[in-house]
Amino acid sequence: MEVRDFIDQIEQQRKEQEAVYHSAAVRYGLSDSAMWIIYLVSDGGASYTQQALCRECCCAKQTINTAINQLVQKECVYLEAIPGTRNEKRVLLTKKGQALVAGTTDLLKAAEARAYGKLTEEERSTYLELTSRITGYLKMELH
């Protein structure tokens, strides 16, 4: 297979996977950005600022800010000032937000676990290794 054909197939698969996540967001009544925000914020161990969410979601600040404002208006998240910082705020779930998570991203995470669980540990390791390598190669080529 030619490299260009391989790239085209990879891109098609990536778009199909993005479409699966987009369909989930639509089914949950959320924008893609809002879904990814609550997906990340619902992980109990991490604390996310708006800036951290921009990095994690690979989205523009305005996109994340708009989604957060919508989630604040729906009373699903609130912003908490971080002491000792100029104006950084943590994005936290409200009780309503926790209920939203239970009916949306918790279901998504469970589906992901089942889907990836169908791969062997070796397949998962290979997937991670190859994805990491190609990302590194692309960074080298484009910088």
Side-chain angles (χ1 to χ4, degrees):
M1 175 185 315
E2 294 292 323
V3 171
R4 186 72 248 166
D5 294 333
F6 175 78
I7 292 168
D8 290 345
Q9 285 186 23
I10 291 292
E11 287 305 311
Q12 183 59 39
Q13 288 176 13
R14 188 184 343 242
K15 288 173 188 169
E16 287 178 28
Q17 193 171 40
E18 286 174 11
V20 169
Y21 283 102
H22 173 72
S23 293
V26 169
R27 192 169 43 254
Y28 301 148
L30 298 167
S31 69
D32 292 6
S33 301
M35 183 182 75
W36 288 116
I37 288 167
I38 65 168
Y39 182 101
L40 292 168
V41 171
S42 67
D43 275 344
S47 175
Y48 286 95
T49 62
Q50 289 175 306
Q51 189 174 23
L53 288 167
C54 290
R55 277 192 310 274
E56 287 287 321
C57 295
C58 299
C59 288
K61 184 177 180 181
Q62 185 175 0
T63 302
I64 294 299
N65 189 42
T66 299
I68 289 172
N69 286 336
Q70 290 170 350
L71 289 167
V72 167
Q73 288 174 357
K74 292 179 180 178
E75 299 178 347
C76 294
V77 301
Y78 66 98
L79 302 175
E80 176 183 83
I82 299 174
T85 65
R86 205 168 124 226
N87 62 356
E88 281 190 78
K89 295 176 183 165
R90 226 181 322 267
V91 180
L92 300 166
L93 292 169
T94 62
K95 290 217 182 282
K96 187 175 179 180
Q98 290 169 354
L100 176 65
V101 164
T104 59
T105 55
D106 279 355
L107 302 174
L108 177 59
K109 289 176 183 181
E112 288 174 324
R114 288 189 305 272
Y116 284 100
K118 292 178 181 180
L119 299 174
T120 66
E121 189 171 335
E122 183 179 345
E123 288 170 327
R124 290 190 303 265
S125 292
T126 300
Y127 177 79
L128 284 176
E129 180 187 340
L130 292 175
T131 303
S132 177
R133 283 175 51 195
I134 195 64
T135 300
Y137 295 152
L138 281 169
K139 285 179 181 178
M140 284 179 3
E141 292 293 330
L142 295 172
H143 284 102

PDB file of all heavy atoms in Angstrom, residues 28 30 33-43 53 71 76-77 93 97 100-101 104-105 109:
ATOM      1  N   TYR A  28     -26.673  13.227  23.769  1.00  0.00           N
ATOM      2  CA  TYR A  28     -26.716  13.723  25.149  1.00  0.00           C
ATOM      3  C   TYR A  28     -27.188  15.173  25.237  1.00  0.00           C
ATOM      4  O   TYR A  28     -27.286  15.738  26.325  1.00  0.00           O
ATOM      5  CB  TYR A  28     -25.339  13.619  25.796  1.00  0.00           C
ATOM      6  CG  TYR A  28     -24.764  12.222  25.863  1.00  0.00           C
ATOM      7  CD1 TYR A  28     -23.390  12.026  25.779  1.00  0.00           C
ATOM      8  CD2 TYR A  28     -25.572  11.092  26.015  1.00  0.00           C
ATOM      9  CE1 TYR A  28     -22.837  10.750  25.852  1.00  0.00           C
ATOM     10  CE2 TYR A  28     -25.023   9.820  26.076  1.00  0.00           C
ATOM     11  CZ  TYR A  28     -23.661   9.661  25.997  1.00  0.00           C
ATOM     12  OH  TYR A  28     -23.110   8.400  26.068  1.00  0.00           O
ATOM     13  N   LEU A  30     -25.564  17.811  24.043  1.00  0.00           N
ATOM     14  CA  LEU A  30     -24.414  18.662  24.338  1.00  0.00           C
ATOM     15  C   LEU A  30     -23.654  19.009  23.061  1.00  0.00           C
ATOM     16  O   LEU A  30     -23.689  18.248  22.099  1.00  0.00           O
ATOM     17  CB  LEU A  30     -23.442  17.920  25.270  1.00  0.00           C
ATOM     18  CG  LEU A  30     -23.954  17.532  26.645  1.00  0.00           C
ATOM     19  CD1 LEU A  30     -23.000  16.552  27.302  1.00  0.00           C
ATOM     20  CD2 LEU A  30     -24.117  18.778  27.504  1.00  0.00           C
ATOM     21  N   SER A  33     -17.726  20.351  22.464  1.00  0.00           N
ATOM     22  CA  SER A  33     -16.846  20.974  23.466  1.00  0.00           C
ATOM     23  C   SER A  33     -17.378  20.775  24.877  1.00  0.00           C
ATOM     24  O   SER A  33     -16.613  20.447  25.796  1.00  0.00           O
ATOM     25  CB  SER A  33     -16.694  22.476  23.185  1.00  0.00           C
ATOM     26  OG  SER A  33     -16.155  22.690  21.910  1.00  0.00           O
ATOM     27  N   ALA A  34     -18.673  20.961  25.057  1.00  0.00           N
ATOM     28  CA  ALA A  34     -19.271  20.783  26.386  1.00  0.00           C
ATOM     29  C   ALA A  34     -19.111  19.342  26.855  1.00  0.00           C
ATOM     30  O   ALA A  34     -18.809  19.081  28.018  1.00  0.00           O
ATOM     31  CB  ALA A  34     -20.736  21.187  26.378  1.00  0.00           C
ATOM     32  N   MET A  35     -19.303  18.402  25.928  1.00  0.00           N
ATOM     33  CA  MET A  35     -19.143  17.002  26.306  1.00  0.00           C
ATOM     34  C   MET A  35     -17.720  16.724  26.771  1.00  0.00           C
ATOM     35  O   MET A  35     -17.513  16.066  27.784  1.00  0.00           O
ATOM     36  CB  MET A  35     -19.502  16.069  25.156  1.00  0.00           C
ATOM     37  CG  MET A  35     -19.420  14.593  25.564  1.00  0.00           C
ATOM     38  SD  MET A  35     -19.773  13.448  24.227  1.00  0.00           S
ATOM     39  CE  MET A  35     -18.260  13.538  23.275  1.00  0.00           C
ATOM     40  N   TRP A  36     -16.720  17.218  26.012  1.00  0.00           N
ATOM     41  CA  TRP A  36     -15.334  16.959  26.410  1.00  0.00           C
ATOM     42  C   TRP A  36     -14.989  17.647  27.726  1.00  0.00           C
ATOM     43  O   TRP A  36     -14.206  17.117  28.522  1.00  0.00           O
ATOM     44  CB  TRP A  36     -14.370  17.344  25.291  1.00  0.00           C
ATOM     45  CG  TRP A  36     -14.454  16.371  24.163  1.00  0.00           C
ATOM     46  CD1 TRP A  36     -14.860  16.630  22.885  1.00  0.00           C
ATOM     47  CD2 TRP A  36     -14.166  14.970  24.211  1.00  0.00           C
ATOM     48  NE1 TRP A  36     -14.838  15.473  22.134  1.00  0.00           N
ATOM     49  CE2 TRP A  36     -14.413  14.436  22.921  1.00  0.00           C
ATOM     50  CE3 TRP A  36     -13.731  14.104  25.213  1.00  0.00           C
ATOM     51  CZ2 TRP A  36     -14.239  13.090  22.614  1.00  0.00           C
ATOM     52  CZ3 TRP A  36     -13.553  12.762  24.901  1.00  0.00           C
ATOM     53  CH2 TRP A  36     -13.807  12.266  23.626  1.00  0.00           C
ATOM     54  N   ILE A  37     -15.580  18.804  27.978  1.00  0.00           N
ATOM     55  CA  ILE A  37     -15.321  19.490  29.248  1.00  0.00           C
ATOM     56  C   ILE A  37     -15.829  18.651  30.406  1.00  0.00           C
ATOM     57  O   ILE A  37     -15.096  18.398  31.362  1.00  0.00           O
ATOM     58  CB  ILE A  37     -15.952  20.900  29.245  1.00  0.00           C
ATOM     59  CG1 ILE A  37     -15.159  21.814  28.304  1.00  0.00           C
ATOM     60  CG2 ILE A  37     -15.998  21.483  30.664  1.00  0.00           C
ATOM     61  CD1 ILE A  37     -15.856  23.122  27.971  1.00  0.00           C
ATOM     62  N   ILE A  38     -17.087  18.209  30.343  1.00  0.00           N
ATOM     63  CA  ILE A  38     -17.590  17.422  31.471  1.00  0.00           C
ATOM     64  C   ILE A  38     -16.915  16.054  31.531  1.00  0.00           C
ATOM     65  O   ILE A  38     -16.754  15.492  32.613  1.00  0.00           O
ATOM     66  CB  ILE A  38     -19.127  17.330  31.514  1.00  0.00           C
ATOM     67  CG1 ILE A  38     -19.685  16.572  30.333  1.00  0.00           C
ATOM     68  CG2 ILE A  38     -19.750  18.706  31.657  1.00  0.00           C
ATOM     69  CD1 ILE A  38     -21.153  16.209  30.481  1.00  0.00           C
ATOM     70  N   TYR A  39     -16.504  15.520  30.395  1.00  0.00           N
ATOM     71  CA  TYR A  39     -15.754  14.260  30.356  1.00  0.00           C
ATOM     72  C   TYR A  39     -14.486  14.401  31.201  1.00  0.00           C
ATOM     73  O   TYR A  39     -14.175  13.546  32.027  1.00  0.00           O
ATOM     74  CB  TYR A  39     -15.412  13.939  28.902  1.00  0.00           C
ATOM     75  CG  TYR A  39     -14.662  12.642  28.673  1.00  0.00           C
ATOM     76  CD1 TYR A  39     -15.342  11.520  28.226  1.00  0.00           C
ATOM     77  CD2 TYR A  39     -13.282  12.537  28.857  1.00  0.00           C
ATOM     78  CE1 TYR A  39     -14.676  10.327  27.974  1.00  0.00           C
ATOM     79  CE2 TYR A  39     -12.618  11.356  28.617  1.00  0.00           C
ATOM     80  CZ  TYR A  39     -13.308  10.251  28.177  1.00  0.00           C
ATOM     81  OH  TYR A  39     -12.637   9.069  27.938  1.00  0.00           O
ATOM     82  N   LEU A  40     -13.762  15.487  30.988  1.00  0.00           N
ATOM     83  CA  LEU A  40     -12.510  15.698  31.713  1.00  0.00           C
ATOM     84  C   LEU A  40     -12.745  16.112  33.159  1.00  0.00           C
ATOM     85  O   LEU A  40     -12.118  15.576  34.076  1.00  0.00           O
ATOM     86  CB  LEU A  40     -11.661  16.755  30.998  1.00  0.00           C
ATOM     87  CG  LEU A  40     -11.106  16.336  29.644  1.00  0.00           C
ATOM     88  CD1 LEU A  40     -10.535  17.535  28.905  1.00  0.00           C
ATOM     89  CD2 LEU A  40     -10.046  15.253  29.813  1.00  0.00           C
ATOM     90  N   VAL A  41     -13.649  17.054  33.370  1.00  0.00           N
ATOM     91  CA  VAL A  41     -13.884  17.577  34.714  1.00  0.00           C
ATOM     92  C   VAL A  41     -14.445  16.499  35.640  1.00  0.00           C
ATOM     93  O   VAL A  41     -14.215  16.526  36.849  1.00  0.00           O
ATOM     94  CB  VAL A  41     -14.817  18.817  34.647  1.00  0.00           C
ATOM     95  CG1 VAL A  41     -15.260  19.269  36.028  1.00  0.00           C
ATOM     96  CG2 VAL A  41     -14.107  19.962  33.922  1.00  0.00           C
ATOM     97  N   SER A  42     -15.124  15.509  35.068  1.00  0.00           N
ATOM     98  CA  SER A  42     -15.724  14.459  35.898  1.00  0.00           C
ATOM     99  C   SER A  42     -14.699  13.469  36.440  1.00  0.00           C
ATOM    100  O   SER A  42     -15.029  12.669  37.316  1.00  0.00           O
ATOM    101  CB  SER A  42     -16.803  13.711  35.108  1.00  0.00           C
ATOM    102  OG  SER A  42     -16.231  12.976  34.034  1.00  0.00           O
ATOM    103  N   ASP A  43     -13.473  13.507  35.920  1.00  0.00           N
ATOM    104  CA  ASP A  43     -12.420  12.658  36.495  1.00  0.00           C
ATOM    105  C   ASP A  43     -12.052  13.223  37.851  1.00  0.00           C
ATOM    106  O   ASP A  43     -11.506  14.325  37.930  1.00  0.00           O
ATOM    107  CB  ASP A  43     -11.179  12.623  35.577  1.00  0.00           C
ATOM    108  CG  ASP A  43     -11.312  11.580  34.490  1.00  0.00           C
ATOM    109  OD1 ASP A  43     -12.181  10.709  34.605  1.00  0.00           O
ATOM    110  OD2 ASP A  43     -10.529  11.644  33.528  1.00  0.00           O
ATOM    111  N   LEU A  53      -8.168  23.064  30.101  1.00  0.00           N
ATOM    112  CA  LEU A  53      -9.160  22.445  29.225  1.00  0.00           C
ATOM    113  C   LEU A  53      -8.872  22.768  27.756  1.00  0.00           C
ATOM    114  O   LEU A  53      -9.034  21.908  26.894  1.00  0.00           O
ATOM    115  CB  LEU A  53     -10.574  22.884  29.610  1.00  0.00           C
ATOM    116  CG  LEU A  53     -11.092  22.283  30.916  1.00  0.00           C
ATOM    117  CD1 LEU A  53     -12.343  23.014  31.384  1.00  0.00           C
ATOM    118  CD2 LEU A  53     -11.354  20.794  30.764  1.00  0.00           C
ATOM    119  N   LEU A  71     -22.484  25.781  30.069  1.00  0.00           N
ATOM    120  CA  LEU A  71     -22.625  24.829  31.182  1.00  0.00           C
ATOM    121  C   LEU A  71     -22.902  25.552  32.497  1.00  0.00           C
ATOM    122  O   LEU A  71     -23.650  25.051  33.345  1.00  0.00           O
ATOM    123  CB  LEU A  71     -21.382  23.948  31.293  1.00  0.00           C
ATOM    124  CG  LEU A  71     -21.207  22.919  30.174  1.00  0.00           C
ATOM    125  CD1 LEU A  71     -19.793  22.324  30.197  1.00  0.00           C
ATOM    126  CD2 LEU A  71     -22.255  21.821  30.282  1.00  0.00           C
ATOM    127  N   CYS A  76     -24.622  23.414  35.437  1.00  0.00           N
ATOM    128  CA  CYS A  76     -23.937  22.119  35.471  1.00  0.00           C
ATOM    129  C   CYS A  76     -22.515  22.230  36.004  1.00  0.00           C
ATOM    130  O   CYS A  76     -21.977  21.261  36.535  1.00  0.00           O
ATOM    131  CB  CYS A  76     -23.910  21.510  34.068  1.00  0.00           C
ATOM    132  SG  CYS A  76     -25.556  21.074  33.479  1.00  0.00           S
ATOM    133  N   VAL A  77     -21.897  23.391  35.834  1.00  0.00           N
ATOM    134  CA  VAL A  77     -20.564  23.646  36.369  1.00  0.00           C
ATOM    135  C   VAL A  77     -20.550  25.028  37.011  1.00  0.00           C
ATOM    136  O   VAL A  77     -21.427  25.857  36.766  1.00  0.00           O
ATOM    137  CB  VAL A  77     -19.434  23.563  35.302  1.00  0.00           C
ATOM    138  CG1 VAL A  77     -19.394  22.202  34.630  1.00  0.00           C
ATOM    139  CG2 VAL A  77     -19.539  24.682  34.283  1.00  0.00           C
ATOM    140  N   LEU A  93     -17.932  20.632  38.841  1.00  0.00           N
ATOM    141  CA  LEU A  93     -19.306  20.181  38.611  1.00  0.00           C
ATOM    142  C   LEU A  93     -20.210  20.550  39.774  1.00  0.00           C
ATOM    143  O   LEU A  93     -19.820  20.459  40.938  1.00  0.00           O
ATOM    144  CB  LEU A  93     -19.338  18.659  38.445  1.00  0.00           C
ATOM    145  CG  LEU A  93     -18.693  18.086  37.198  1.00  0.00           C
ATOM    146  CD1 LEU A  93     -18.574  16.574  37.316  1.00  0.00           C
ATOM    147  CD2 LEU A  93     -19.480  18.459  35.954  1.00  0.00           C
ATOM    148  N   GLY A  97     -24.641  18.985  37.470  1.00  0.00           N
ATOM    149  CA  GLY A  97     -23.593  18.541  36.559  1.00  0.00           C
ATOM    150  C   GLY A  97     -23.203  17.089  36.809  1.00  0.00           C
ATOM    151  O   GLY A  97     -22.960  16.327  35.866  1.00  0.00           O
ATOM    152  N   LEU A 100     -25.756  15.031  35.247  1.00  0.00           N
ATOM    153  CA  LEU A 100     -25.543  15.033  33.801  1.00  0.00           C
ATOM    154  C   LEU A 100     -24.445  14.048  33.417  1.00  0.00           C
ATOM    155  O   LEU A 100     -24.595  13.270  32.483  1.00  0.00           O
ATOM    156  CB  LEU A 100     -25.181  16.449  33.329  1.00  0.00           C
ATOM    157  CG  LEU A 100     -24.839  16.603  31.848  1.00  0.00           C
ATOM    158  CD1 LEU A 100     -26.047  16.300  30.977  1.00  0.00           C
ATOM    159  CD2 LEU A 100     -24.303  18.007  31.580  1.00  0.00           C
ATOM    160  N   VAL A 101     -23.365  14.051  34.169  1.00  0.00           N
ATOM    161  CA  VAL A 101     -22.245  13.134  33.924  1.00  0.00           C
ATOM    162  C   VAL A 101     -22.712  11.684  34.005  1.00  0.00           C
ATOM    163  O   VAL A 101     -22.362  10.856  33.154  1.00  0.00           O
ATOM    164  CB  VAL A 101     -21.087  13.402  34.923  1.00  0.00           C
ATOM    165  CG1 VAL A 101     -20.098  12.264  34.956  1.00  0.00           C
ATOM    166  CG2 VAL A 101     -20.389  14.712  34.577  1.00  0.00           C
ATOM    167  N   THR A 104     -24.390  10.725  30.842  1.00  0.00           N
ATOM    168  CA  THR A 104     -23.720  11.037  29.571  1.00  0.00           C
ATOM    169  C   THR A 104     -22.303  10.468  29.539  1.00  0.00           C
ATOM    170  O   THR A 104     -22.099   9.349  29.084  1.00  0.00           O
ATOM    171  CB  THR A 104     -23.687  12.555  29.316  1.00  0.00           C
ATOM    172  OG1 THR A 104     -22.997  13.215  30.396  1.00  0.00           O
ATOM    173  CG2 THR A 104     -25.076  13.143  29.162  1.00  0.00           C
ATOM    174  N   THR A 105     -21.365  11.234  30.040  1.00  0.00           N
ATOM    175  CA  THR A 105     -19.960  10.839  29.880  1.00  0.00           C
ATOM    176  C   THR A 105     -19.585   9.598  30.677  1.00  0.00           C
ATOM    177  O   THR A 105     -18.653   8.899  30.285  1.00  0.00           O
ATOM    178  CB  THR A 105     -18.994  11.999  30.186  1.00  0.00           C
ATOM    179  OG1 THR A 105     -19.249  12.504  31.489  1.00  0.00           O
ATOM    180  CG2 THR A 105     -19.158  13.113  29.161  1.00  0.00           C
ATOM    181  N   LYS A 109     -17.646   6.718  28.829  1.00  0.00           N
ATOM    182  CA  LYS A 109     -16.419   6.110  29.363  1.00  0.00           C
ATOM    183  C   LYS A 109     -16.570   4.598  29.507  1.00  0.00           C
ATOM    184  O   LYS A 109     -15.630   3.847  29.241  1.00  0.00           O
ATOM    185  CB  LYS A 109     -16.041   6.740  30.702  1.00  0.00           C
ATOM    186  CG  LYS A 109     -15.535   8.164  30.555  1.00  0.00           C
ATOM    187  CD  LYS A 109     -15.262   8.792  31.908  1.00  0.00           C
ATOM    188  CE  LYS A 109     -14.829  10.237  31.762  1.00  0.00           C
ATOM    189  NZ  LYS A 109     -14.536  10.862  33.058  1.00  0.00           N
TER     190      LYS A 109
END
